[in-house]
Amino acid sequence: MQRAPTSPERISVALGLCVVMLATLPRYMAGGHETRQTLIIFALALVAFAAIVQWRLLAVEARRRLPQLCKRLVVMLLLGMVVMGGWHALFTDWISWQVFISHGATLGVLLHALSLWWSGERHAS
């Protein structure tokens, strides 16, 4: 089975990656890592551009699914924040808010991608 070159699921994951990159910027700014900060900004621009191009290639009916997937992404980002907040409260010393949002956003996007994969596997079989 050949998959479409673009899908609303892929775009929602790309948007999630943009959120993760934005969430890491304060961490690098606070740490004085200008080179990493610059690389993250370039990567953010590239992923955002690719997401825009993919969105333009979507069929109209596929575009209608994207808002629901973005809501799902937001829920997973919030879940990632809650889980990482609990994890850090139980198992680590106090971390900065910059590290917390970076970790929470990363876990949220990972959960979003895994949930899309899981639901895709169930529908394929």
Side-chain angles (χ1 to χ4, degrees):
M1 170 174 91
Q2 182 155 349
R3 294 191 172 197
T6 186
S7 70
E9 291 82 8
R10 289 179 185 179
I11 294 171
S12 71
V13 171
L15 293 174
L17 289 174
C18 290
V19 169
V20 168
M21 288 186 267
L22 285 171
T24 60
L25 283 177
R27 184 177 178 184
Y28 292 134
M29 291 169 73
H33 303 287
E34 289 84 13
T35 303
R36 289 181 184 173
Q37 186 179 339
T38 302
L39 290 173
I40 289 290
I41 291 170
F42 282 134
L44 173 63
L46 184 65
V47 173
F49 177 75
I52 291 168
V53 169
Q54 286 193 4
W55 179 79
R56 292 180 56 102
L57 294 173
L58 279 181
V60 174
E61 60 273 1
R63 284 185 187 182
R64 289 190 190 122
R65 292 188 5 237
L66 193 55
Q68 189 62 31
L69 289 167
C70 288
K71 289 178 189 174
R72 184 178 184 168
L73 173 62
V74 168
V75 168
M76 292 301 176
L77 287 168
L78 293 173
L79 180 61
M81 292 293 173
V82 168
V83 170
M84 288 312 296
W87 176 266
H88 285 295
L90 292 173
F91 299 112
T92 64
D93 292 332
W94 169 248
I95 57 169
S96 67
W97 66 269
Q98 296 96 335
V99 173
F100 169 70
I101 65 167
S102 173
H103 288 179
T106 302
L107 179 59
V109 172
L110 179 61
L111 292 172
H112 178 65
L114 288 173
S115 73
L116 291 174
W117 173 74
W118 182 261
S119 65
E121 286 291 316
R122 285 188 299 165
H123 289 100
S125 54

